[in-house]
Amino acid sequence: VGAGALTWAACNGVPEMMALYGGPLIVVNAWLVLYTWLQHTDVDVPHFQDSDHNFVKGAFHTIDRPYDKMDPWGAIDFLHHKIGSTHVAHHFDSTIPHYKAQVATDAIKENFPEIYLYEPTPIHEALWRVCKGCASTMKRGDYYIWDNADVKSELLETSESY
């Protein structure tokens, strides 16, 4: 891939190669990293030590985040096979095909409503909250939580205003 990109740049120029290959590669990878981070991190999701972590805890501490605020037509969800809103099911069984993931997600919601994590906050707001509130951890009992008292109080003030 690197040799192909260098050859392309040598033959047609760096601007063309970056516009048609480099730029899209950077955008897609940035989106994947950002969205993966948001599916696995939030201000109230704890971090477990090896002795206290297990597969089910890991699956239940993953967050389903919909794209609907960014894309009311559903094109992003369609193109991404609903991985944003069916991610918890993916962590329960990564062999579930995308076309069965919604059924699995519905079963998880129905059977475990008190511990299923679904966060409908728009992506840009969730990103800002996670960036501000997930910078350092502190130990509480057998696990670590985000040291984000300022962010939590800000969130409470914001939610009370709605």
Short mmCIF file of all heavy atoms in Angstrom, two decimals, residues 70-104:
data_model
loop_
_atom_site.label_atom_id
_atom_site.label_comp_id
_atom_site.label_asym_id
_atom_site.label_seq_id
_atom_site.Cartn_x
_atom_site.Cartn_y
_atom_site.Cartn_z
N MET A 70 -27.23 12.61 14.24
CA MET A 70 -26.38 13.07 13.14
C MET A 70 -27.00 12.77 11.78
O MET A 70 -26.70 13.43 10.80
CB MET A 70 -25.03 12.34 13.17
CG MET A 70 -24.10 12.78 14.26
SD MET A 70 -22.59 11.80 14.25
CE MET A 70 -22.03 11.98 12.58
N ASP A 71 -27.83 11.73 11.76
CA ASP A 71 -28.33 11.22 10.48
C ASP A 71 -29.77 10.74 10.64
O ASP A 71 -30.02 9.56 10.82
CB ASP A 71 -27.42 10.08 10.03
CG ASP A 71 -27.89 9.43 8.75
OD1 ASP A 71 -28.59 10.11 7.96
OD2 ASP A 71 -27.56 8.26 8.53
N PRO A 72 -30.74 11.66 10.59
CA PRO A 72 -32.13 11.26 10.79
C PRO A 72 -32.67 10.34 9.70
O PRO A 72 -33.71 9.71 9.87
CB PRO A 72 -32.88 12.60 10.81
CG PRO A 72 -31.98 13.59 10.18
CD PRO A 72 -30.58 13.09 10.36
N TRP A 73 -31.97 10.22 8.58
CA TRP A 73 -32.44 9.35 7.48
C TRP A 73 -31.98 7.91 7.64
O TRP A 73 -32.44 7.04 6.93
CB TRP A 73 -31.96 9.90 6.13
CG TRP A 73 -32.41 11.31 5.95
CD1 TRP A 73 -33.64 11.73 5.56
CD2 TRP A 73 -31.65 12.48 6.21
NE1 TRP A 73 -33.69 13.11 5.55
CE2 TRP A 73 -32.48 13.59 5.95
CE3 TRP A 73 -30.35 12.71 6.65
CZ2 TRP A 73 -32.04 14.90 6.10
CZ3 TRP A 73 -29.92 14.02 6.81
CH2 TRP A 73 -30.77 15.09 6.53
N GLY A 74 -31.01 7.66 8.53
CA GLY A 74 -30.55 6.30 8.78
C GLY A 74 -29.48 5.78 7.84
O GLY A 74 -29.14 4.61 7.87
N ALA A 75 -28.91 6.64 7.00
CA ALA A 75 -27.90 6.19 6.04
C ALA A 75 -26.63 5.70 6.73
O ALA A 75 -26.06 4.68 6.35
CB ALA A 75 -27.56 7.31 5.06
N ILE A 76 -26.17 6.42 7.78
CA ILE A 76 -24.95 6.00 8.48
C ILE A 76 -25.19 4.66 9.15
O ILE A 76 -24.35 3.75 9.07
CB ILE A 76 -24.49 7.06 9.50
CG1 ILE A 76 -24.12 8.35 8.78
CG2 ILE A 76 -23.30 6.55 10.30
CD1 ILE A 76 -23.80 9.50 9.72
N ASP A 77 -26.32 4.51 9.85
CA ASP A 77 -26.64 3.23 10.49
C ASP A 77 -26.67 2.10 9.46
O ASP A 77 -26.15 1.02 9.70
CB ASP A 77 -27.99 3.32 11.20
CG ASP A 77 -27.89 3.06 12.68
OD1 ASP A 77 -26.76 2.89 13.19
OD2 ASP A 77 -28.94 3.02 13.33
N PHE A 78 -27.28 2.35 8.32
CA PHE A 78 -27.34 1.34 7.26
C PHE A 78 -25.95 0.98 6.76
O PHE A 78 -25.60 -0.20 6.66
CB PHE A 78 -28.21 1.85 6.10
CG PHE A 78 -28.21 0.93 4.91
CD1 PHE A 78 -28.98 -0.23 4.92
CD2 PHE A 78 -27.44 1.22 3.80
CE1 PHE A 78 -28.96 -1.09 3.83
CE2 PHE A 78 -27.43 0.36 2.70
CZ PHE A 78 -28.19 -0.80 2.72
N LEU A 79 -25.14 1.98 6.47
CA LEU A 79 -23.79 1.73 5.94
C LEU A 79 -22.87 1.07 6.97
O LEU A 79 -21.97 0.32 6.61
CB LEU A 79 -23.17 3.03 5.44
CG LEU A 79 -23.83 3.62 4.20
CD1 LEU A 79 -23.28 5.01 3.91
CD2 LEU A 79 -23.67 2.71 2.99
N HIS A 80 -23.10 1.33 8.24
CA HIS A 80 -22.28 0.73 9.31
C HIS A 80 -22.93 -0.52 9.90
O HIS A 80 -22.48 -1.00 10.94
CB HIS A 80 -22.04 1.75 10.42
CG HIS A 80 -21.11 2.84 10.02
ND1 HIS A 80 -20.55 3.68 10.94
CD2 HIS A 80 -20.61 3.23 8.82
CE1 HIS A 80 -19.75 4.54 10.33
NE2 HIS A 80 -19.79 4.28 9.04
N HIS A 81 -23.97 -1.02 9.28
CA HIS A 81 -24.67 -2.23 9.73
C HIS A 81 -25.12 -2.13 11.18
O HIS A 81 -25.07 -3.09 11.93
CB HIS A 81 -23.79 -3.47 9.54
CG HIS A 81 -23.36 -3.69 8.14
ND1 HIS A 81 -24.24 -4.01 7.14
CD2 HIS A 81 -22.14 -3.61 7.55
CE1 HIS A 81 -23.58 -4.15 6.00
NE2 HIS A 81 -22.31 -3.90 6.22
N LYS A 82 -25.53 -0.93 11.60
CA LYS A 82 -26.06 -0.65 12.93
C LYS A 82 -25.08 -0.98 14.05
O LYS A 82 -25.49 -1.27 15.17
CB LYS A 82 -27.39 -1.38 13.16
CG LYS A 82 -28.51 -0.84 12.32
CD LYS A 82 -29.83 -1.41 12.79
CE LYS A 82 -30.95 -0.64 12.16
NZ LYS A 82 -32.22 -0.97 12.73
N ILE A 83 -23.78 -0.94 13.79
CA ILE A 83 -22.82 -1.28 14.83
C ILE A 83 -22.87 -0.28 15.99
O ILE A 83 -22.55 -0.62 17.12
CB ILE A 83 -21.38 -1.42 14.29
CG1 ILE A 83 -20.47 -2.09 15.31
CG2 ILE A 83 -20.81 -0.06 13.87
CD1 ILE A 83 -20.88 -3.48 15.72
N GLY A 84 -23.32 0.94 15.74
CA GLY A 84 -23.42 1.92 16.82
C GLY A 84 -24.50 1.59 17.82
O GLY A 84 -24.31 1.73 19.02
N SER A 85 -25.64 1.12 17.35
CA SER A 85 -26.76 0.85 18.25
C SER A 85 -26.92 -0.63 18.60
O SER A 85 -27.85 -1.00 19.29
CB SER A 85 -28.06 1.39 17.63
OG SER A 85 -28.22 0.87 16.33
N THR A 86 -25.99 -1.48 18.14
CA THR A 86 -26.03 -2.91 18.51
C THR A 86 -24.67 -3.39 19.00
O THR A 86 -24.35 -4.57 18.92
CB THR A 86 -26.48 -3.78 17.31
OG1 THR A 86 -25.53 -3.64 16.25
CG2 THR A 86 -27.86 -3.40 16.83
N HIS A 87 -23.87 -2.48 19.53
CA HIS A 87 -22.50 -2.82 19.91
C HIS A 87 -22.43 -3.73 21.14
O HIS A 87 -21.54 -4.57 21.23
CB HIS A 87 -21.69 -1.54 20.14
CG HIS A 87 -20.22 -1.78 20.14
ND1 HIS A 87 -19.52 -2.06 19.00
CD2 HIS A 87 -19.32 -1.81 21.15
CE1 HIS A 87 -18.25 -2.24 19.29
NE2 HIS A 87 -18.10 -2.09 20.59
N VAL A 88 -23.34 -3.55 22.08
CA VAL A 88 -23.34 -4.40 23.27
C VAL A 88 -23.53 -5.87 22.86
O VAL A 88 -22.82 -6.75 23.34
CB VAL A 88 -24.41 -3.95 24.28
CG1 VAL A 88 -24.53 -4.93 25.43
CG2 VAL A 88 -24.09 -2.55 24.79
N ALA A 89 -24.44 -6.12 21.95
CA ALA A 89 -24.67 -7.49 21.47
C ALA A 89 -23.41 -8.05 20.82
O ALA A 89 -23.08 -9.23 20.98
CB ALA A 89 -25.83 -7.52 20.48
N HIS A 90 -22.69 -7.21 20.08
CA HIS A 90 -21.43 -7.63 19.47
C HIS A 90 -20.44 -8.12 20.53
O HIS A 90 -19.71 -9.08 20.31
CB HIS A 90 -20.84 -6.46 18.67
CG HIS A 90 -19.39 -6.58 18.37
ND1 HIS A 90 -18.91 -7.40 17.37
CD2 HIS A 90 -18.31 -5.98 18.94
CE1 HIS A 90 -17.59 -7.30 17.34
NE2 HIS A 90 -17.21 -6.44 18.28
N HIS A 91 -20.44 -7.49 21.69
CA HIS A 91 -19.53 -7.91 22.75
C HIS A 91 -19.99 -9.19 23.44
O HIS A 91 -19.17 -9.90 24.02
CB HIS A 91 -19.31 -6.79 23.76
CG HIS A 91 -18.24 -5.86 23.33
ND1 HIS A 91 -16.92 -6.05 23.61
CD2 HIS A 91 -18.30 -4.73 22.57
CE1 HIS A 91 -16.20 -5.08 23.07
NE2 HIS A 91 -17.02 -4.27 22.43
N PHE A 92 -21.26 -9.47 23.40
CA PHE A 92 -21.74 -10.74 23.95
C PHE A 92 -21.35 -11.89 23.05
O PHE A 92 -20.97 -12.95 23.52
CB PHE A 92 -23.26 -10.72 24.14
CG PHE A 92 -23.65 -10.23 25.48
CD1 PHE A 92 -23.94 -8.90 25.67
CD2 PHE A 92 -23.72 -11.08 26.55
CE1 PHE A 92 -24.28 -8.42 26.91
CE2 PHE A 92 -24.05 -10.64 27.80
CZ PHE A 92 -24.34 -9.29 27.99
N ASP A 93 -21.46 -11.69 21.76
CA ASP A 93 -21.11 -12.75 20.80
C ASP A 93 -20.73 -12.09 19.48
O ASP A 93 -21.59 -11.67 18.72
CB ASP A 93 -22.29 -13.70 20.60
CG ASP A 93 -21.96 -14.87 19.70
OD1 ASP A 93 -20.85 -14.91 19.12
OD2 ASP A 93 -22.81 -15.76 19.57
N SER A 94 -19.43 -12.03 19.23
CA SER A 94 -18.96 -11.33 18.02
C SER A 94 -19.23 -12.11 16.74
O SER A 94 -18.98 -11.61 15.66
CB SER A 94 -17.47 -11.03 18.14
OG SER A 94 -16.73 -12.22 18.27
N THR A 95 -19.79 -13.32 16.87
CA THR A 95 -20.12 -14.08 15.66
C THR A 95 -21.55 -13.82 15.18
O THR A 95 -21.95 -14.34 14.14
CB THR A 95 -19.94 -15.60 15.89
OG1 THR A 95 -20.87 -16.04 16.88
CG2 THR A 95 -18.51 -15.92 16.32
N ILE A 96 -22.31 -13.01 15.93
CA ILE A 96 -23.67 -12.67 15.49
C ILE A 96 -23.56 -11.85 14.21
O ILE A 96 -22.88 -10.82 14.18
CB ILE A 96 -24.42 -11.84 16.56
CG1 ILE A 96 -24.61 -12.65 17.83
CG2 ILE A 96 -25.76 -11.36 16.03
CD1 ILE A 96 -25.16 -11.83 18.99
N PRO A 97 -24.20 -12.28 13.13
CA PRO A 97 -24.13 -11.49 11.90
C PRO A 97 -24.89 -10.17 12.07
O PRO A 97 -25.82 -10.07 12.86
CB PRO A 97 -24.81 -12.37 10.85
CG PRO A 97 -25.59 -13.37 11.62
CD PRO A 97 -24.98 -13.50 12.98
N HIS A 98 -24.48 -9.16 11.34
CA HIS A 98 -25.07 -7.83 11.51
C HIS A 98 -26.58 -7.84 11.30
O HIS A 98 -27.30 -7.07 11.94
CB HIS A 98 -24.39 -6.81 10.57
CG HIS A 98 -24.71 -7.02 9.13
ND1 HIS A 98 -25.80 -6.48 8.51
CD2 HIS A 98 -24.06 -7.72 8.17
CE1 HIS A 98 -25.82 -6.83 7.24
NE2 HIS A 98 -24.77 -7.58 7.01
N TYR A 99 -27.08 -8.71 10.46
CA TYR A 99 -28.52 -8.72 10.21
C TYR A 99 -29.31 -9.39 11.33
O TYR A 99 -30.53 -9.36 11.33
CB TYR A 99 -28.84 -9.37 8.85
CG TYR A 99 -28.21 -10.73 8.63
CD1 TYR A 99 -28.83 -11.89 9.06
CD2 TYR A 99 -26.98 -10.83 7.99
CE1 TYR A 99 -28.26 -13.13 8.86
CE2 TYR A 99 -26.40 -12.07 7.78
CZ TYR A 99 -27.03 -13.21 8.22
OH TYR A 99 -26.44 -14.43 8.02
N LYS A 100 -28.64 -9.97 12.33
CA LYS A 100 -29.30 -10.52 13.51
C LYS A 100 -28.99 -9.70 14.77
O LYS A 100 -29.50 -9.99 15.85
CB LYS A 100 -28.84 -11.96 13.76
CG LYS A 100 -29.18 -12.93 12.66
CD LYS A 100 -30.61 -13.35 12.74
CE LYS A 100 -30.87 -14.44 11.73
NZ LYS A 100 -32.21 -14.95 11.81
N ALA A 101 -28.14 -8.69 14.64
CA ALA A 101 -27.69 -7.92 15.80
C ALA A 101 -28.83 -7.16 16.48
O ALA A 101 -28.84 -7.03 17.71
CB ALA A 101 -26.58 -6.96 15.40
N GLN A 102 -29.79 -6.66 15.72
CA GLN A 102 -30.90 -5.92 16.34
C GLN A 102 -31.76 -6.84 17.19
O GLN A 102 -32.19 -6.47 18.28
CB GLN A 102 -31.76 -5.22 15.29
CG GLN A 102 -32.78 -4.29 15.88
CD GLN A 102 -32.14 -3.15 16.66
OE1 GLN A 102 -31.33 -2.40 16.14
NE2 GLN A 102 -32.48 -3.03 17.93
N VAL A 103 -31.99 -8.06 16.74
CA VAL A 103 -32.76 -9.04 17.52
C VAL A 103 -32.03 -9.35 18.82
O VAL A 103 -32.64 -9.40 19.90
CB VAL A 103 -32.99 -10.33 16.69
CG1 VAL A 103 -33.63 -11.41 17.54
CG2 VAL A 103 -33.83 -10.03 15.47
N ALA A 104 -30.71 -9.54 18.74
CA ALA A 104 -29.91 -9.81 19.94
C ALA A 104 -29.94 -8.62 20.89
O ALA A 104 -30.08 -8.78 22.11
CB ALA A 104 -28.48 -10.15 19.55
#
